């Protein structure tokens, strides 16, 4: 039985992922639940595929998480002078100072404070925000959904552009087609996402520029706000399209260039020649035979770009007035809401580590050839 | 097969050189004072006296773009050079010694990637005020932290492939010290790959600096920066698009040129198609 | 004693935040372009079409009114058909509220006040003439010596939780504000407030010339909330403030039961709180209150409100807010960004209401702390003199010298500033009181733009300060528009004095901005403040007794941010606060204005212009009648207006 599962692990995990997506689509659970289920699938899958590796990887994650929490906490604790006044600014009232002092437990020694704080964090207590007087954990978990959605959609869009273009450009390497695709994508790589976002809004949301009385542009897509998936599916995607697109195009360029060069390398391998000699159609060779072996680096990099995407998401959230976690942290910074920022940085870093680990686990579960091999281009 | 760099490559190089020279010698060039507000010119489009037009308070956009290049180029160059030195060294050591050293360094590198750069930057801003020098310091610090790991990864891979070559083994058997082997034998061979890669990193840093400036958190005034200029012109996109557009175009072309030159150099130096 | 003092001083924080973005309108003229209401609506009757002003005409009117400094932002569109019930209005507001929403704790700026106006109402309102008139209060009477005031509260009004608005309820609201550390200083001189039946009684130790009106109108502590809700709040000053009259046992008992949510307000307004989610892009949602006292079942026989639901969405980025309006995500937005207002001027697709009447003044504040403060020494009964700058933190600031301040004022070309930076939308300011308000003077004696005079003063300034270049830091908020405006100001000084002046602009994050001003840790800073209907509202900011020393070791937060002491202003305020004679008070307010002109305590730039911009389906944005009065409520109050009277075409705001 167990052997049977191991043999068919790839299809089983793929089916589980598909089922999760269907479930998320029709039942619309909070994004964090979907995310949790994906984590479970990845971990179990990797555990079955190569238990020792999965364990080692998980064991490696824990010290990193502890390290991150320590750095975040130490940053706060290393403020010179009275942290409470530093946090609140020179106009702190006695009341506010007292609240922050209690919040931070400032009268205790450093490691006790760190322990207490970590204990709170483990039980989901990130404190109360200084400005909005709201539970930080609530605020972050609420803000997380739009951010994760933007990131997920932009990865999908980026891959949607990158995979066909990468295959095509790799196949027609050195031709004019290849050159054109390369140059256009290089252009997207050089367009900062905030410039792209501003341009997209200008030309697709608010009617564009008026030249000699003629409007050059459209008013077809929303320019602001977020609509939850559970509220209205069509509206949700209308609202998410421009932010995701603004974030996606730069990534599409990176992905496409990677896939192209791996594709070129794969197409030189003998088994492709063999397939050609069997008279298989080109499309079939490219998509069925060449794509899978060429996409290993690409998938690794997709996991790695999550960090970049969070930074980008911050900017598009700001431009499109989306209540995401990037905007949450940014406003926390401008209002010196220290507790909110601390919580946000901790959660995002943790999430990032989990995503990186999961992306490795999923390849391992999906691709049997990787088993027993050291996974991860990061190694 | 002899590779050619092509006319576009040289055009891009020429553009970057001109931009760098203009930025470095901005003070002695016959361009306008970037802080001077010319009466009656606010939001005026490009003209013969003001090539890129005037901004919302009548300052010369062209001269501000040139001075803005100082910030973008200085911060990204310093960031890249520091990252090259640190990341290059770590990568070489990691690839050359392998084993436990390699594992630890790789783990540390991975850990440094864990806190997303822009978020880290924001967290740091919270601790320090907006005094210009401190802002530049945080910017460079974040950029270096951001770029060390990717550079180290590329250098490590290149070092690995060279460390197994006959001439390196020969040098080692002849009793050369590790330092000598690393710097005399391996470095010259690894250098091309990481110099070309560093140009791409530099392009990335210019974009990150732009993002930070766009959020209003980069170097404070009077120093102009491209991202800040784009942000300030945003309200006037439909009436005076040039205020945002000019710095955006220059930023675009600069990043494009850096990427292009980096790409071409990589292809030129490497026998195979490059893989990140 | 020292503790109480510093607490009282600390309290100024909230007041500042409020006042700095507070402002009020009043006044008479004003119009808005009406491109749609009449001209585009086929259903309009013939006469309506004939009467209707064309867009060009009303445009000319509004420009004229604005240039006279008096645009109240009235919605004067011709209306086709009557009001329609129904619809959901989405309003883009500029900021979230810190410490929401209890009035004694919230930092209630413009966005917060829009929400307050939806969920509750105030004891007094400002009417279209700029007079503060009773609203929830039916009548007010004062004793002959103005030491006691008696208010009668309207009968038959209930809060959203069904409890009645009684004299006790009003007194409870006021006492929370009196005992709060944040809002308490505004009640100095008021000894006792209590309620009985529908009556509220005030006892004061000084003649209370203006009565409770100015402190109880449509901002901050004027708004009434259900005592049943207030009693459940953990931040209730009765339980937490050192000024609370309750015993410690009573406080502990109160706190133990305090499990209420301050961000879920229970008021008595036209709309009831439904849901509030903090954060940019999130919103405050309120639904129609069927038991509104001006509703179909109310006491006035009116039929308000017209909307079913109103949603206030926080959109801090003005470009995002404006784009959202253009793309249809918002139905109404407000802004004080002149670039954005200018874009909507003459745009037939949107309705633009402009208001600067009784609004705020924009200025550069200067820290003049030096020497000693004899008024404060006398007030505190101190042995010796009280030095204003005991640690010498402001010693290197050249702006303590009148010659330097005068030189800067002379070198600032205000006409160029308003015409180029603000497209002539705003008017250059010459004093703290905008045109139309008490105390305004055409010529206040404030130094006019004059380069020769500027250079002469500057020579004196160099001698007085011993500096060359004359060096100071200029704090600016982080907002790109403000930073750029301040850069323009600095460039004018450089044009006049060249390299002999070194003013460095320092953008400061919003969270620290007011704090630095209160603590006195700045040299110069840009500010928007001092909006108000009556000059008495400014007393806290300008008198010598709130001009406290800069001392980070004993944080003394001064509401007199510039830390000046001006005997002429102190004397004038004795009249403004205690003399009921309107003519004498007006004369005194003008004297305040002249004192600012003589001593250049602030560098005036312009009077703030607010724009309320809506899609044309939104009707009757400003015209709320006041029951029992022929005069309606004032239109746009520093960006805030009433919402109960708004309706949308066919009961649908989005179309």
């Amino acid at each position: 039985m167990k052997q049977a599962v191991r043999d068919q692990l790839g299809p089983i995990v793929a089916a589980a992922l598909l089922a999760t997506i269907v479930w998320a689509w029709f039942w619309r659970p909070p994004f964090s639940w979907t995310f949790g289920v994906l984590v479970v699938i990845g971990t179990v899958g990797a555990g079955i595929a190569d238990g020792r590796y999965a364990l080692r990887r998980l064991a490696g994650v824990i010290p990193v998480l502890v390290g991150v929490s320590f750095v975040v906490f130490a940053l706060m604790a290393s403020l010179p002078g009275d942290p409470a006044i530093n946090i609140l600014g020179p106009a702190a009232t006695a009341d506010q100072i007292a609240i922050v002092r209690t919040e931070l437990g400032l009268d205790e020694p450093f490691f006790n404070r760190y322990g207490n704080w970590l204990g709170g964090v483990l039980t989901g207590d990130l404190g109360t925000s200084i400005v909005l007087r709201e539970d930080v954990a609530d605020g972050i978990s609420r803000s997380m959904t739009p951010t994760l959605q933007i990131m997920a959609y932009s990865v999908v869009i980026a891959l949607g552009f990158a995979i066909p273009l990468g295959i095509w450009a790799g196949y027609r390497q050195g031709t004019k087609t290849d050159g054109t695709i390369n140059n256009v994508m290089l252009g997207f790589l050089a367009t900062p996402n905030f410039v792209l976002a501003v341009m997209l809004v200008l030309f697709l949301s608010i009617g564009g520029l008026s030249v000699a009385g003629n409007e050059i542009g459209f008013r077809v897509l929303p320019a602001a706000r977020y609509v939850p998936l559970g509220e209205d599916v069509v509206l949700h995607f209308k609202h998410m399209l421009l932010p995701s697109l603004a974030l996606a195009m730069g990534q599409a360029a990176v992905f496409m260039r990677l896939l192209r060069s791996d594709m070129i390398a794969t197409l030189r391998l003998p088994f492709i020649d063999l397939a050609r000699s069997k008279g298989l159609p080109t499309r079939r060779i490219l998509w069925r035979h060449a794509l899978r072996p060429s996409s290993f680096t690409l998938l690794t990099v997709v996991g790695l770009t999550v960090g970049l995407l969070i930074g980008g998401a911050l900017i598009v959230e700001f431009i499109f007035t989306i209540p995401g976690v990037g905007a949450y942290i940014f406003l926390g910074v401008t209002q010196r809401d220290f507790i909110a920022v601390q919580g946000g940085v901790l959660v995002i870093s943790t999430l990032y580590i989990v995503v990186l680990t999961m992306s490795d686990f999923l390849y391992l579960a999906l691709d049997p050839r990787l088993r027993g091999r050291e996974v991860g281009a990061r190694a | 097969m002899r590779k050619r760099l092509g006319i576009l490559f040289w055009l891009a190089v020429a553009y970057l050189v001109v931009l760098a020279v203009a930025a470095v010698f901005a003070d002695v060039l016959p361009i306008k004072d970037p802080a001077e507000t010319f009466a009656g010119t606010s939001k005026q489009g490009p003209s013969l006296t003001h090539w890129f037009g005037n901004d919302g308070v009548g300052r010369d956009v062209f001269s501000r773009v040139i001075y803005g290049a100082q910030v973008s180029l200085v911060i990204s160059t310093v960031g890249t050079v520091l990252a090259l030195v640190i990341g290059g060294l770590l990568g070489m050591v990691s690839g050359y010694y392998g084993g436990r050293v390699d594992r630890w360094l790789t783990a540390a590198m991975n850990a440094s990637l864990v806190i997303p750069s822009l978020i880290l930057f924001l967290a740091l801003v919270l601790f320090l005020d907006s005094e210009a020098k401190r802002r530049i310091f945080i910017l460079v610090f974040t950029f270096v932290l951001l770029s060390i790991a990717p550079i180290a990864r590329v250098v490590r891979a290149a070092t690995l492939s060279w460390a197994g070559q006959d001439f390196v083994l020969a040098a080692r058997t002849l009793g050369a010290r590790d330092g000598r082997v690393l710097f005399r034998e391996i470095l010259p061979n690894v250098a091309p790959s990481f110099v070309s890669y560093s140009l791409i990193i530099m392009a990335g840093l210019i974009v990150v600096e732009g993002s930070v400036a766009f959020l209003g958190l980069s170097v404070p005034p009077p120093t102009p920066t491209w991202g800040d200029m784009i942000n300030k012109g945003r309200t006037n996109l439909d009436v005076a698009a040039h205020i945002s557009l000019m710095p955006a175009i220059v930023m675009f072309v600069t990043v494009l040129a850096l990427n292009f030159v980096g790409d071409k150099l990589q292809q030129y130096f490497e026998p195979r198609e490059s893989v990140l | 004693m020292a503790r109480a003092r510093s607490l009282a001083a600390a309290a100024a924080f909230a007041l500042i935040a409020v006042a700095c973005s507070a402002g009020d309108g009043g006044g008479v003229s004003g119009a808005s372009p009406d491109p749609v209401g009449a001209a585009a609506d086929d259903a309009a009757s013939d006469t309506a079409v004939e009467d209707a002003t064309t867009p060009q005409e009303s445009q000319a009117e509004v420009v004229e009114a604005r240039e006279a400094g008096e645009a109240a932002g009235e919605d004067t569109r011709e209306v086709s058909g009557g009001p329609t019930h129904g619809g959901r209005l989405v309003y883009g507001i500029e900021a979230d509220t810190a410490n929401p929403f209890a009035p004694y704790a919230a930092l209630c700026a413009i966005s917060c006040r829009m929400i307050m106006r939806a969920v509750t109402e105030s004891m007094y309102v400002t009417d279209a003439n700029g007079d503060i008139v009773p609203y929830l209060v039916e009548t007010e009477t004062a004793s002959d010596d103005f030491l006691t005031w008696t208010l009668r509260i309207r009968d038959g009004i209930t809060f959203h939780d069904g409890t009645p608005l009684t004299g006790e309820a009003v007194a409870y609201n006021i006492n929370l504000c009196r005992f709060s550390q944040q809002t308490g200083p505004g009640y100095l001189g008021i000894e006792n407030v209590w309620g009985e039946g529908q009556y509220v009684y005030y006892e004061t130790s000084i003649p209370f010339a203006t009565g409770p009106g100015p402190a109880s109108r449509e901002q901050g502590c004027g708004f009434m909330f259900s005592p049943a809700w207030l009693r459940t709040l953990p931040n209730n000053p009765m339980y937490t403030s050192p000024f609370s009259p309750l015993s410690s046992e009573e406080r502990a008992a109160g706190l133990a039961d305090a499990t209420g949510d301050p961000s879920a307000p229970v008021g008595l307004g036209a709309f009831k709180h439904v849901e509030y989610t903090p954060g940019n892009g999130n919103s405050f949602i309120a639904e129609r209150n069927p038991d509104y006292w001006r509703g179909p079942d109310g006491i006035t026989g009116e039929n308000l409100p017209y909307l079913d639901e109103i949603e206030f969405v926080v959109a801090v980025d003005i470009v995002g807010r404006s784009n959202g309006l253009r793309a249809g995500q918002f139905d109404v937005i407000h802004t004080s960004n002149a670039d954005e207002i200018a874009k909507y001027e003459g745009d037939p697709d949107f309705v633009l209401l402009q208001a600067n009447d009784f609004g705020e003044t924009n200025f550069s504040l200067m820290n003049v702390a030096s020497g000693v403060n004899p008024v404060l020494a006398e007030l505190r009964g101190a042995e010796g003199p009280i030095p204003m700058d005991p640690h010498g933190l402001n010693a290197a600031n050249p702006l303590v010298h009148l010659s330097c301040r005068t030189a800067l004022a002379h070198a600032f070309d205000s006409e160029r500033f308003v015409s180029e930076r603000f497209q002539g939308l705003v008017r250059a300011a010459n004093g703290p009181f905008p045109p139309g308000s008490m105390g305004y003077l055409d010529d206040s004696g404030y130094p006019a733009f004059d380069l020769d005079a500027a250079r002469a003063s500057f020579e004196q300034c160099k001698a007085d300060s011993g500096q060359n270049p004359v060096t100071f830091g200029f704090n600016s908020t982080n907002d790109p528009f403000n930073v750029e405006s301040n850069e323009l100001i600095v460039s004018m000084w450089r044009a006049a004095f060249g390299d002999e002046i070194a003013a460095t602009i320092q953008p400061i994050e919003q969270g620290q901005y007011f704090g630095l001003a209160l603590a006195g840790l700045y040299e110069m800073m840009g500010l928007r403040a001092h909006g108000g209907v009556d000059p008495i509202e400014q007393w806290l900011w300008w008198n010598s007794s709130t001009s406290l020393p800069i001392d980070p070791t004993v944080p003394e937060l001064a509401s007199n941010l510039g830390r000046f002491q001006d005997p002429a202003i102190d004397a004038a305020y004795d009249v403004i606060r205690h003399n009921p004679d309107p003519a004498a008070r007006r004369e005194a307010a003008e004297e305040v204005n002249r004192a600012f002109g003589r001593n250049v305590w602030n560098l005036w730039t312009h009077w703030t212009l607010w724009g309320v911009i809506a899609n044309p389906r939104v009707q009757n944005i400003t015209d709320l009648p006041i029951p029992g009065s022929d005069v309606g409520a004032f239109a746009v109050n520093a960006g805030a207006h009433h919402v109960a009277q708004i309706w949308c075409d066919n009961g649908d705001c989005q179309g």
Side-chain angles (χ1 to χ4, degrees), chain A residues 151-168:
Chain A
M151 284 164 53
Y153 301 155
S154 66
V155 167
V156 170
I157 294 174
L159 289 175
F161 278 98
I163 292 176
L165 290 177
I167 292 175
W168 195 240

Side-chain angles (χ1 to χ4, degrees), chain C residues 190-206:
Chain C
I190 294 176
E191 297 301 313
N192 204 0
V193 179
W194 73 98
E196 221 178 279
Q198 287 305 111
Y199 290 90
V200 178
Y201 304 92
Y202 280 71
E203 249 175 33
T204 63
S205 57
I206 48 168

Side-chain angles (χ1 to χ4, degrees), chain A residues 199-219, chain B residues 237-238:
Chain A
M199 292 298 158
L200 285 172
V201 172
L202 181 64
F203 287 107
L204 292 175
S205 296
I206 62 168
L209 293 171
S210 169
V211 177
N214 297 312
E215 208 172 69
I216 305 178
F218 304 91
R219 297 169 190 268
Chain B
L237 263 189
D238 41 2

